[in-house]
Amino acid sequence: MVFNSFNFIIVFPIIFILYYVIPAKHRKSRNMFLLFVSYLLYIQWKPTYSLILFGVTAITYFTALAIENTKHKKLSLTIGILLTLLPLFFFKYFNFINDNLSSFLAVIGLNSHLPGLNWAIPVGISFFTFQSIGYLCDVYYKRQVAERDFLTYALFLSFFPSILAGPINKASLVIPQLKNLRPYFDYRKAVEGLKMILWGMFMKVVVADRVALYVDTVLDSYMNYTGTSCMLAFLLYSIQIYADFAGYSLMAIGVGKTLGFELTENFRRPCFAFSVSDFWRRWHISLSTWLRYCVYFPLGGSRCSKLCNYRNIFLTFFVSGIWHGANWTYIVWGCIHGFCLVVEKITGQHKCEYGWVGKSIKIIITFLLVCFSRIFFRMPSLADAGSIISRMFDPTLPLAIYIDKVPNLPFTVMGVGLLILKDFRDEFMPDRFLLMNNKSCIIRWTTYVCVLFMILVAGVFGSDQFIYANF
Amino acid sequence: MKKFIIRVSTFILLVAILDALFGFAMGRISERIDIGGTGRDNNICDKITDDIIVFGSSRAEHHYNAQMISDSLGQSCYNAGEDGCGIILAYGRLLMLLDRYTPKTILYEITPSFDYLHEGKDYHKYLYKLKRHYDRNGIDSIFWDVDRTERYKMQSGTYQHNSSFLQNLIVYFLGISTDIGIKGYRPLNGEMDTMKIKSGKLAYDSSNGYRYDPFKMQYLHKFLQKSEGQNLIFVVSPMWYEMDTLVLEPIKEICKEHDIPLIDFSNDPKYVHNNRYFKDGTHLNAIGADEFTHDLIKELRKQKVFQY
């Protein structure tokens, strides 16, 4: 059940009330209730998916105990990771590997093709698989003690706010909150959570889904549009994917907060990143953290020769590309980011030692680089990506820009404008022009009402899908 | 907890009051608009009493010159086609028309993707133009069929004017609007935009087989039921692209079963790949629309479909 669906708006207050009906001293009952709700909501997608979730939970739970209790820690970790990756491999990557292998074999004159698997990918599989592998790595590197209580661990993996599209939580953040006695109700946290849900909803339905109307129109039949329209569509696609994913994450964190939990921060105004390295400190932070701890550090991180360090950076982003999807486009996207990071490291551009003019120029360059890489992220194949790039830079095409019709245009401008203004304020003047956190109750409430009204009148309803839920 | 519940309840109450006021005000404003898309919609739902009504998608809206049909056949005609819409909106509009009067003839422009092909499950886009008429006889059940949660969502006055309020305010207070068209017909002026066509492409492609949408089919049959006793004619207007006629099989079967005439201009050599008549691959320009309307009238006369 996605957060911007009508069903969730009805179901969540019921979950909220029932959760707080259970006294705080019955911590275990509260956890049991949350586990029950998490599985119940997950089953809504497809009941058999929950078996995969349960299987991954059981494998990683026992593997973590084995890592702690045996001498063959590395072997246990390897087996555990391989078993955990098995469902992800079959559901997400089997067809891709099978097709590519067959094509390769055909080139060398061998004809062999296994039948493809026509299975729908279980919702959130990449997220809970990576979260559980992160947990195993933490136990192996002794950053986390293996959890003895199966229910607590099962809730950590299946916790409904974050199972669909993250954040990929660290065990060290969530498990202690599940194990310790939580206060009955934290007013400040609950209000904070509702504000996050409200703004997250605005980002999703007013900005992302509205912008999507333009982006999808142009990019789904890009041959009908000029190169400049395609360029504009990609600039807007960057806004769309940010509003979509950050909006979802904000709602997930907000839902967690209303229930008294702190989840991992996932976005920190990535549009204002001054380098690609800085971008990855602000974009999908929970995945970047996971990659750092589970791929980059085990490969040797920066504690090796410069050359090895560059290789490690590149490989980390190669894995990031694969994680996003079974398609060469994602791999190319990951490689572009890896390449940019290596170049920045070599030239020292990962830091920003310039004044505001220099910083502004770097922010614009980084934004354009990220937008360019997203061509590969968005297009269905490398051929399409190549074709749209050549179209974008084709001097023979007219410079006309396709302008969306009313009512999309004013709503798009309003939504994107407000999002950029808010992020600008948060980034450069966090203590000024406070609206949702203003001391005056009237200003605060007026802001809440205005945001809710904008959602109702300018939101796009009926599109209950999040881009990152597909990963 | 008590403080939290009181504040949240107060907020919900405040929003509910403002929502009702907004919905009421916007309802009154949109009812009074007589220009632009809303004005055209008001005309269709509340005013027209024409003998011949054209239904269908943008291909209906831009292809059927209603004035020309009226002048040639001596019966008044109104074009009630709507961009991006198909059978679901047409059924709703027919219900509203039948509440007032019964048109003698219905010309229905078939657009397979909107009328019976499966395009995914999001039918909400077809409800956009019906939202303001939710309280009318039979319209509410269309919403419930599409999405049962619409029953609750439509209680919100603001939601009823979602996406349309700004446009309506501009039209009402500033008088700025798009053309209402001539008797609902909105010609596409200008020449063919060759960038928007792909040579060798077929309009509809059966290589992966066609998936029919049972929901749209159900509405197509409902439409047939409601138009019983009227002169219903299905038409497929010309396309620049060659069309895979296999896609028309379901409608051919329906026509055969119910003895309804089907006039098919797809693949007419006069129009296929003829840039002079088109604005893009699927839409005729004003010249093409006049030519097609002329040919359609000839065909209607030839088939003697107006001999009631």
Short mmCIF file of all heavy atoms in Angstrom, two decimals, chain B residues 119-154:
data_model
loop_
_atom_site.label_atom_id
_atom_site.label_comp_id
_atom_site.label_asym_id
_atom_site.label_seq_id
_atom_site.Cartn_x
_atom_site.Cartn_y
_atom_site.Cartn_z
N GLU B 119 -5.16 -0.52 -22.04
CA GLU B 119 -3.99 0.38 -21.99
C GLU B 119 -3.43 0.48 -20.59
O GLU B 119 -2.77 1.43 -20.24
CB GLU B 119 -4.34 1.82 -22.32
CG GLU B 119 -5.36 2.16 -23.28
CD GLU B 119 -5.73 3.63 -23.13
OE1 GLU B 119 -6.63 3.96 -22.34
OE2 GLU B 119 -5.12 4.43 -23.80
N GLY B 120 -3.73 -0.44 -19.72
CA GLY B 120 -3.37 -0.29 -18.32
C GLY B 120 -4.65 0.00 -17.58
O GLY B 120 -5.69 0.19 -18.20
N LYS B 121 -4.57 0.04 -16.27
CA LYS B 121 -5.83 0.08 -15.54
C LYS B 121 -6.26 1.45 -15.05
O LYS B 121 -7.21 1.57 -14.31
CB LYS B 121 -5.73 -0.88 -14.35
CG LYS B 121 -6.08 -2.31 -14.75
CD LYS B 121 -6.44 -3.12 -13.54
CE LYS B 121 -7.22 -4.35 -13.95
NZ LYS B 121 -7.62 -5.12 -12.81
N ASP B 122 -5.55 2.49 -15.47
CA ASP B 122 -5.88 3.80 -14.93
C ASP B 122 -6.97 4.48 -15.75
O ASP B 122 -6.70 5.09 -16.77
CB ASP B 122 -4.63 4.67 -14.87
CG ASP B 122 -4.90 5.95 -14.13
OD1 ASP B 122 -5.97 6.05 -13.49
OD2 ASP B 122 -4.06 6.86 -14.18
N TYR B 123 -8.19 4.35 -15.28
CA TYR B 123 -9.32 4.96 -16.00
C TYR B 123 -9.65 6.35 -15.44
O TYR B 123 -10.57 6.98 -15.91
CB TYR B 123 -10.57 4.09 -15.88
CG TYR B 123 -10.37 2.66 -16.31
CD1 TYR B 123 -10.44 1.63 -15.38
CD2 TYR B 123 -10.12 2.34 -17.63
CE1 TYR B 123 -10.26 0.31 -15.76
CE2 TYR B 123 -9.93 1.04 -18.03
CZ TYR B 123 -10.01 0.02 -17.10
OH TYR B 123 -9.82 -1.28 -17.47
N HIS B 124 -8.90 6.77 -14.43
CA HIS B 124 -9.23 8.05 -13.78
C HIS B 124 -9.24 9.21 -14.76
O HIS B 124 -10.00 10.15 -14.60
CB HIS B 124 -8.24 8.35 -12.65
CG HIS B 124 -8.45 7.47 -11.45
ND1 HIS B 124 -7.86 6.23 -11.35
CD2 HIS B 124 -9.17 7.63 -10.34
CE1 HIS B 124 -8.22 5.68 -10.21
NE2 HIS B 124 -9.01 6.51 -9.57
N LYS B 125 -8.36 9.12 -15.78
CA LYS B 125 -8.27 10.24 -16.73
C LYS B 125 -9.59 10.46 -17.47
O LYS B 125 -9.88 11.55 -17.92
CB LYS B 125 -7.12 10.02 -17.71
CG LYS B 125 -7.25 8.79 -18.58
CD LYS B 125 -6.07 8.68 -19.53
CE LYS B 125 -6.20 7.41 -20.36
NZ LYS B 125 -5.06 7.17 -21.21
N TYR B 126 -10.38 9.40 -17.59
CA TYR B 126 -11.66 9.53 -18.30
C TYR B 126 -12.73 10.21 -17.43
O TYR B 126 -13.79 10.57 -17.92
CB TYR B 126 -12.17 8.16 -18.75
CG TYR B 126 -11.22 7.43 -19.67
CD1 TYR B 126 -10.68 6.20 -19.32
CD2 TYR B 126 -10.85 7.99 -20.88
CE1 TYR B 126 -9.79 5.53 -20.17
CE2 TYR B 126 -9.96 7.34 -21.73
CZ TYR B 126 -9.45 6.12 -21.37
OH TYR B 126 -8.58 5.47 -22.20
N LEU B 127 -12.43 10.30 -16.13
CA LEU B 127 -13.43 10.87 -15.22
C LEU B 127 -13.31 12.39 -15.09
O LEU B 127 -14.21 13.04 -14.57
CB LEU B 127 -13.30 10.25 -13.82
CG LEU B 127 -13.49 8.74 -13.74
CD1 LEU B 127 -13.29 8.28 -12.30
CD2 LEU B 127 -14.88 8.35 -14.21
N TYR B 128 -12.17 12.92 -15.56
CA TYR B 128 -11.86 14.34 -15.36
C TYR B 128 -13.03 15.26 -15.73
O TYR B 128 -13.43 16.12 -14.95
CB TYR B 128 -10.60 14.66 -16.16
CG TYR B 128 -10.20 16.10 -16.16
CD1 TYR B 128 -9.79 16.73 -15.00
CD2 TYR B 128 -10.23 16.85 -17.33
CE1 TYR B 128 -9.41 18.06 -15.00
CE2 TYR B 128 -9.85 18.18 -17.35
CZ TYR B 128 -9.45 18.78 -16.18
OH TYR B 128 -9.09 20.11 -16.19
N LYS B 129 -13.60 15.03 -16.92
CA LYS B 129 -14.67 15.92 -17.39
C LYS B 129 -16.03 15.61 -16.74
O LYS B 129 -16.98 16.34 -16.95
CB LYS B 129 -14.81 15.80 -18.92
CG LYS B 129 -13.70 16.50 -19.67
CD LYS B 129 -14.05 17.95 -19.93
CE LYS B 129 -12.87 18.70 -20.52
NZ LYS B 129 -13.15 20.12 -20.68
N LEU B 130 -16.10 14.50 -16.01
CA LEU B 130 -17.39 14.15 -15.40
C LEU B 130 -17.48 14.60 -13.94
O LEU B 130 -18.55 14.57 -13.35
CB LEU B 130 -17.61 12.63 -15.47
CG LEU B 130 -17.85 12.03 -16.86
CD1 LEU B 130 -17.94 10.52 -16.77
CD2 LEU B 130 -19.15 12.58 -17.45
N LYS B 131 -16.32 14.99 -13.38
CA LYS B 131 -16.29 15.31 -11.95
C LYS B 131 -17.34 16.33 -11.53
O LYS B 131 -17.99 16.18 -10.51
CB LYS B 131 -14.90 15.81 -11.55
CG LYS B 131 -13.92 14.70 -11.23
CD LYS B 131 -12.63 15.28 -10.72
CE LYS B 131 -11.69 14.17 -10.31
NZ LYS B 131 -10.36 14.67 -10.00
N ARG B 132 -17.49 17.38 -12.34
CA ARG B 132 -18.43 18.43 -11.97
C ARG B 132 -19.88 17.97 -12.03
O ARG B 132 -20.77 18.60 -11.49
CB ARG B 132 -18.27 19.63 -12.92
CG ARG B 132 -17.02 20.43 -12.68
CD ARG B 132 -17.05 21.75 -13.39
NE ARG B 132 -17.31 21.64 -14.82
CZ ARG B 132 -18.39 22.15 -15.41
NH1 ARG B 132 -19.30 22.79 -14.72
NH2 ARG B 132 -18.54 22.02 -16.72
N HIS B 133 -20.09 16.84 -12.70
CA HIS B 133 -21.47 16.37 -12.88
C HIS B 133 -21.75 15.13 -12.03
O HIS B 133 -22.67 14.37 -12.33
CB HIS B 133 -21.71 16.06 -14.37
CG HIS B 133 -21.25 17.15 -15.28
ND1 HIS B 133 -21.85 18.37 -15.33
CD2 HIS B 133 -20.20 17.21 -16.13
CE1 HIS B 133 -21.21 19.15 -16.19
NE2 HIS B 133 -20.20 18.46 -16.69
N TYR B 134 -20.93 14.95 -11.03
CA TYR B 134 -21.02 13.74 -10.20
C TYR B 134 -22.42 13.50 -9.64
O TYR B 134 -22.87 12.36 -9.53
CB TYR B 134 -20.00 13.87 -9.05
CG TYR B 134 -19.97 12.70 -8.11
CD1 TYR B 134 -19.37 11.51 -8.49
CD2 TYR B 134 -20.54 12.78 -6.84
CE1 TYR B 134 -19.32 10.42 -7.64
CE2 TYR B 134 -20.51 11.70 -5.98
CZ TYR B 134 -19.90 10.52 -6.38
OH TYR B 134 -19.85 9.46 -5.53
N ASP B 135 -23.12 14.58 -9.29
CA ASP B 135 -24.44 14.43 -8.65
C ASP B 135 -25.56 14.09 -9.63
O ASP B 135 -26.68 13.84 -9.21
CB ASP B 135 -24.81 15.73 -7.91
CG ASP B 135 -23.82 16.01 -6.81
OD1 ASP B 135 -23.26 15.02 -6.27
OD2 ASP B 135 -23.59 17.19 -6.48
N ARG B 136 -25.25 14.09 -10.90
CA ARG B 136 -26.31 13.83 -11.88
C ARG B 136 -26.67 12.34 -11.92
O ARG B 136 -25.86 11.48 -11.57
CB ARG B 136 -25.87 14.26 -13.28
CG ARG B 136 -25.31 15.65 -13.33
CD ARG B 136 -26.24 16.55 -14.05
NE ARG B 136 -25.64 17.87 -14.13
CZ ARG B 136 -25.59 18.57 -15.24
NH1 ARG B 136 -26.08 18.07 -16.35
NH2 ARG B 136 -25.08 19.78 -15.24
N ASN B 137 -27.83 12.11 -12.46
CA ASN B 137 -28.38 10.76 -12.53
C ASN B 137 -27.44 9.78 -13.26
O ASN B 137 -27.14 9.95 -14.43
CB ASN B 137 -29.72 10.87 -13.30
CG ASN B 137 -30.48 9.58 -13.25
OD1 ASN B 137 -30.21 8.73 -12.40
ND2 ASN B 137 -31.41 9.42 -14.16
N GLY B 138 -26.97 8.76 -12.54
CA GLY B 138 -26.17 7.70 -13.15
C GLY B 138 -24.68 7.98 -13.25
O GLY B 138 -23.89 7.07 -13.51
N ILE B 139 -24.27 9.24 -13.07
CA ILE B 139 -22.85 9.58 -13.24
C ILE B 139 -22.03 9.02 -12.07
O ILE B 139 -20.92 8.52 -12.26
CB ILE B 139 -22.65 11.11 -13.37
CG1 ILE B 139 -23.47 11.67 -14.53
CG2 ILE B 139 -21.18 11.46 -13.52
CD1 ILE B 139 -23.11 11.15 -15.89
N ASP B 140 -22.61 9.13 -10.87
CA ASP B 140 -21.85 8.66 -9.70
C ASP B 140 -21.44 7.19 -9.83
O ASP B 140 -20.34 6.80 -9.46
CB ASP B 140 -22.65 8.90 -8.41
CG ASP B 140 -24.08 8.40 -8.49
OD1 ASP B 140 -24.44 7.82 -9.52
OD2 ASP B 140 -24.84 8.59 -7.51
N SER B 141 -22.32 6.37 -10.43
CA SER B 141 -21.99 4.94 -10.51
C SER B 141 -20.82 4.68 -11.47
O SER B 141 -20.11 3.69 -11.32
CB SER B 141 -23.21 4.12 -10.91
OG SER B 141 -23.65 4.55 -12.16
N ILE B 142 -20.59 5.59 -12.42
CA ILE B 142 -19.41 5.43 -13.31
C ILE B 142 -18.15 5.57 -12.46
O ILE B 142 -17.20 4.80 -12.58
CB ILE B 142 -19.41 6.49 -14.44
CG1 ILE B 142 -20.69 6.41 -15.25
CG2 ILE B 142 -18.18 6.34 -15.32
CD1 ILE B 142 -20.82 7.50 -16.32
N PHE B 143 -18.17 6.55 -11.55
CA PHE B 143 -17.03 6.78 -10.67
C PHE B 143 -16.78 5.56 -9.79
O PHE B 143 -15.64 5.14 -9.61
CB PHE B 143 -17.26 8.01 -9.77
CG PHE B 143 -17.03 9.31 -10.47
CD1 PHE B 143 -17.95 9.80 -11.39
CD2 PHE B 143 -15.89 10.04 -10.24
CE1 PHE B 143 -17.74 10.99 -12.05
CE2 PHE B 143 -15.66 11.24 -10.89
CZ PHE B 143 -16.59 11.72 -11.80
N TRP B 144 -17.86 5.00 -9.26
CA TRP B 144 -17.69 3.84 -8.36
C TRP B 144 -17.19 2.63 -9.12
O TRP B 144 -16.47 1.80 -8.58
CB TRP B 144 -19.01 3.50 -7.66
CG TRP B 144 -19.64 4.68 -6.97
CD1 TRP B 144 -19.00 5.83 -6.58
CD2 TRP B 144 -21.01 4.84 -6.60
NE1 TRP B 144 -19.89 6.70 -6.00
CE2 TRP B 144 -21.14 6.12 -5.99
CE3 TRP B 144 -22.14 4.05 -6.71
CZ2 TRP B 144 -22.34 6.60 -5.50
CZ3 TRP B 144 -23.35 4.53 -6.22
CH2 TRP B 144 -23.45 5.79 -5.62
N ASP B 145 -17.62 2.53 -10.40
CA ASP B 145 -17.13 1.41 -11.23
C ASP B 145 -15.62 1.53 -11.47
O ASP B 145 -14.91 0.53 -11.46
CB ASP B 145 -17.82 1.43 -12.60
CG ASP B 145 -19.19 0.75 -12.54
OD1 ASP B 145 -19.53 0.21 -11.49
OD2 ASP B 145 -19.89 0.79 -13.57
N VAL B 146 -15.18 2.75 -11.71
CA VAL B 146 -13.75 2.96 -11.99
C VAL B 146 -12.92 2.74 -10.73
O VAL B 146 -11.89 2.07 -10.76
CB VAL B 146 -13.53 4.39 -12.54
CG1 VAL B 146 -12.06 4.77 -12.53
CG2 VAL B 146 -14.06 4.48 -13.96
N ASP B 147 -13.37 3.28 -9.64
CA ASP B 147 -12.59 3.19 -8.39
C ASP B 147 -13.57 3.40 -7.24
O ASP B 147 -14.15 4.47 -7.11
CB ASP B 147 -11.51 4.29 -8.42
CG ASP B 147 -10.69 4.35 -7.14
OD1 ASP B 147 -10.99 3.58 -6.22
OD2 ASP B 147 -9.76 5.17 -7.09
N ARG B 148 -13.72 2.35 -6.42
CA ARG B 148 -14.76 2.47 -5.39
C ARG B 148 -14.42 3.54 -4.34
O ARG B 148 -15.30 4.06 -3.67
CB ARG B 148 -15.08 1.12 -4.75
CG ARG B 148 -13.96 0.42 -4.12
CD ARG B 148 -14.22 -1.07 -4.01
NE ARG B 148 -12.98 -1.79 -3.82
CZ ARG B 148 -12.53 -2.18 -2.66
NH1 ARG B 148 -13.22 -1.96 -1.57
NH2 ARG B 148 -11.37 -2.80 -2.56
N THR B 149 -13.13 3.91 -4.24
CA THR B 149 -12.80 4.96 -3.27
C THR B 149 -13.23 6.34 -3.76
O THR B 149 -13.27 7.29 -2.98
CB THR B 149 -11.28 4.98 -2.97
OG1 THR B 149 -10.59 5.34 -4.15
CG2 THR B 149 -10.78 3.65 -2.47
N GLU B 150 -13.59 6.45 -5.05
CA GLU B 150 -14.06 7.74 -5.57
C GLU B 150 -15.34 8.18 -4.84
O GLU B 150 -15.63 9.36 -4.73
CB GLU B 150 -14.34 7.66 -7.07
CG GLU B 150 -13.10 7.59 -7.93
CD GLU B 150 -12.29 8.88 -7.96
OE1 GLU B 150 -12.89 9.96 -7.84
OE2 GLU B 150 -11.06 8.80 -8.08
N ARG B 151 -16.09 7.21 -4.35
CA ARG B 151 -17.32 7.49 -3.59
C ARG B 151 -17.01 8.43 -2.42
O ARG B 151 -17.78 9.32 -2.10
CB ARG B 151 -17.85 6.16 -3.06
CG ARG B 151 -19.17 6.20 -2.35
CD ARG B 151 -19.41 4.85 -1.71
NE ARG B 151 -19.72 3.82 -2.69
CZ ARG B 151 -20.95 3.43 -2.99
NH1 ARG B 151 -21.97 3.99 -2.41
NH2 ARG B 151 -21.17 2.49 -3.87
N TYR B 152 -15.85 8.21 -1.81
CA TYR B 152 -15.47 9.02 -0.65
C TYR B 152 -14.71 10.27 -1.09
O TYR B 152 -14.91 11.36 -0.55
CB TYR B 152 -14.62 8.19 0.32
CG TYR B 152 -15.27 6.87 0.63
CD1 TYR B 152 -14.82 5.68 0.06
CD2 TYR B 152 -16.39 6.81 1.47
CE1 TYR B 152 -15.46 4.47 0.31
CE2 TYR B 152 -17.04 5.60 1.72
CZ TYR B 152 -16.57 4.44 1.13
OH TYR B 152 -17.20 3.26 1.36
N LYS B 153 -13.83 10.10 -2.07
CA LYS B 153 -13.03 11.24 -2.52
C LYS B 153 -13.93 12.36 -3.06
O LYS B 153 -13.66 13.53 -2.87
CB LYS B 153 -12.08 10.81 -3.64
CG LYS B 153 -10.93 9.93 -3.20
CD LYS B 153 -10.04 9.66 -4.41
CE LYS B 153 -9.22 8.42 -4.23
NZ LYS B 153 -8.58 8.00 -5.49
N MET B 154 -15.01 11.95 -3.74
CA MET B 154 -15.86 12.95 -4.37
C MET B 154 -16.69 13.75 -3.36
O MET B 154 -17.37 14.70 -3.72
CB MET B 154 -16.78 12.30 -5.40
CG MET B 154 -16.07 11.87 -6.68
SD MET B 154 -15.23 13.20 -7.55
CE MET B 154 -16.61 14.12 -8.14
#
